[in-house]
Amino acid sequence: MWVVCVTLGPMTALDLAEARRLKEQLRELARDLAERYGAVMASSVGPDDGTPSEAVRAPTLSLGLAPTEDGGHTVAVRYRLGVPAARAVVRKVAAEAGDGADVRRTGRIRTLSDVRPRPPVVSARSLGETGRVRPLRPGVSVANVDVTAGTLGAFVADPAAEGSTFVLSNWHVLAGSAQAAPGDVVVQPGPADGGRAARDRIGTLARWSPLVAGEPHRVDAAIALLDDGVETDPTYPVGRVTTTTAPRGGEQVAKVGRTTSLTHGRVSAIELDDVLVGYGDDLGVLSFDGQVEVESTGDGPFSRGGDSGALVYREDGVALGLLFAGSETGGPDGSGLTYVNPVDAVLEALGVTLR
């Protein structure tokens, strides 16, 4: 049964509270329509993303809030290609959102540590730090010894472990599988860039926010405890970043990643729900709520595979989020959009603070 009706006609900018209310109404409509049309996750994502065969019914689009030029907000509608039933859901929700809605096709969204362990080839395509870097600094290649390569996002402190320093990155960078366990070796550079446990060990996996198939998530995050004697330089590239804030949309941001190095972008959407991200065969496709979207403001994409784990910060040095995924298409030049966990949600989930 689907009886939600939110037709507004041409949309004007809304204040944040109004935009949130409308988004929730449209989200309910999208779920009702998906159920009516029988649209399932597998229809719009596809088996090559590792979707489990028992995929449950799910929305075929993501809804969030997009900034407007006058400082207000509108509804952000994000979708991928799918079967006709999925496209019908997108069309109906976009029509109900009104002419002012920010509607974009993203294609499939995947985690961004998807590089293969072929150091001479992979590293040669990277603009960032793929070699051994000491003292450690944000933006360099790092990973669990059984993963490929991602990015060291920041250094953090745990109030329960006074005096210790931890590395912050994604779960799929520092853990990477359901078999991961505390004490797993973490190396810099990551294995895809030639890192080996014997000579490149920097610490051990300490804690992570669990990722479970079939459940909604907010963050993909983990920390590793640095070994004694490993020197760090937390001031690169913009000074010591210890302040955080919740993005409101429209902010000019930057990040330093293992693959694309220093890039600049703009927060194009906030509070995106039902963002479906491919995690390969182990976890299939996971759903994330409350996510931040960034579009590039430079000549190339804001991020590529290997940039997972990078800290996204406002250009005055205030941290906004932790980069974890990217889309095939979308953005000003069609090269893709980047998806980011809100930094405060990351820190809360792990019980740490920026150091």
Side-chain angles (χ1 to χ4, degrees):
M1 183 71 179
W2 56 290
V3 295
V4 179
C5 182
V6 295
T7 303
L8 298 177
M11 180 180 287
T12 56
L14 304 172
D15 66 32
L16 192 56
E18 291 173 327
R20 283 172 174 158
R21 284 194 293 269
L22 177 58
K23 186 194 86 168
E24 289 306 313
Q25 289 179 304
L26 292 171
R27 191 181 185 194
E28 185 65 25
L29 173 63
R31 289 180 180 276
D32 288 346
L33 288 170
E35 184 69 22
R36 179 193 182 209
Y37 283 106
V40 295
M41 189 182 293
S43 300
S44 59
V45 180
D48 59 321
D49 260 9
T51 307
S53 58
E54 65 274 17
V56 296
R57 296 186 184 278
T60 58
L61 50 78
S62 302
L63 292 171
L65 307 176
T68 57
E69 292 183 358
D70 60 2
H73 291 83
T74 186
V75 174
V77 181
R78 302 293 184 262
Y79 69 96
R80 68 197 72 206
L81 289 179
V83 296
R87 292 195 291 270
V89 173
V90 173
R91 285 196 301 268
K92 288 182 178 292
V93 172
E96 294 291 346
D99 293 340
D102 184 344
V103 182
R104 305 190 193 193
R105 173 188 159 199
T106 66
R108 292 171 179 163
I109 301 172
R110 296 181 174 91
T111 58
L112 288 183
S113 66
D114 189 21
V115 292
R116 299 294 183 260
R118 299 189 297 269
V121 177
V122 175
S123 299
R125 291 202 298 263
S126 299
L127 300 175
E129 296 276 10
T130 58
R132 192 174 191 273
V133 177
R134 303 293 186 277
L136 294 179
R137 59 176 180 253
V140 302
S141 171
V142 71
N144 184 298
V145 73
D146 292 323
V147 180
T148 52
T151 297
L152 192 162
F155 300 109
V156 296
D158 181 351
E162 186 175 354
S164 297
T165 299
F166 296 80
V167 164
L168 173 66
S169 190
N170 295 136
W171 173 90
H172 70 270
V173 173
L174 297 182
S177 76
Q179 289 69 49
D184 283 356
V185 173
V186 172
V187 295
Q188 193 293 310
D193 297 317
R196 298 294 179 265
R199 69 172 186 268
D200 300 310
R201 168 176 164 152
I202 60 168
T204 54
L205 178 63
R207 190 157 64 247
W208 59 90
S209 183
L211 296 180
V212 181
E215 295 184 4
H217 301 85
R218 189 84 190 277
V219 303
D220 173 342
I223 56 173
L225 174 64
L226 285 183
D227 290 340
D228 292 340
V230 177
E231 296 184 1
T232 65
D233 175 13
T235 64
Y236 180 85
V238 291
R240 188 181 293 270
V241 179
T242 59
T243 304
T244 67
T245 192
R248 293 183 62 85
E251 295 94 337
Q252 298 298 312
V253 296
K255 75 96 186 68
V256 179
R258 167 254 178 223
T259 302
T260 56
S261 191
L262 176 64
T263 58
H264 299 271
R266 170 183 173 271
V267 175
S268 47
I270 60 172
E271 300 181 20
L272 277 166
D273 294 332
D274 302 311
V275 178
L276 303 182
V277 181
Y279 273 77
D281 294 338
D282 286 346
L283 291 175
V285 176
L286 301 182
S287 178
F288 286 80
D289 290 342
Q291 300 304 293
V292 180
E293 179 189 270
V294 176
E295 63 182 10
S296 174
T297 55
D299 294 333
F302 186 72
S303 64
R304 289 192 185 280
D307 288 331
S308 273
L311 190 70
V312 176
Y313 54 89
R314 228 167 45 192
E315 295 199 340
D316 60 0
V318 176
L320 296 185
L322 190 68
L323 191 158
F324 83 112
S327 70
E328 294 177 326
T329 59
D333 61 358
S335 63
L337 294 160
T338 295
Y339 294 89
V340 177
N341 302 150
V343 68
D344 289 328
V346 168
L347 300 177
E348 180 181 0
L350 297 173
V352 296
T353 58
L354 291 178
R355 194 173 183 89

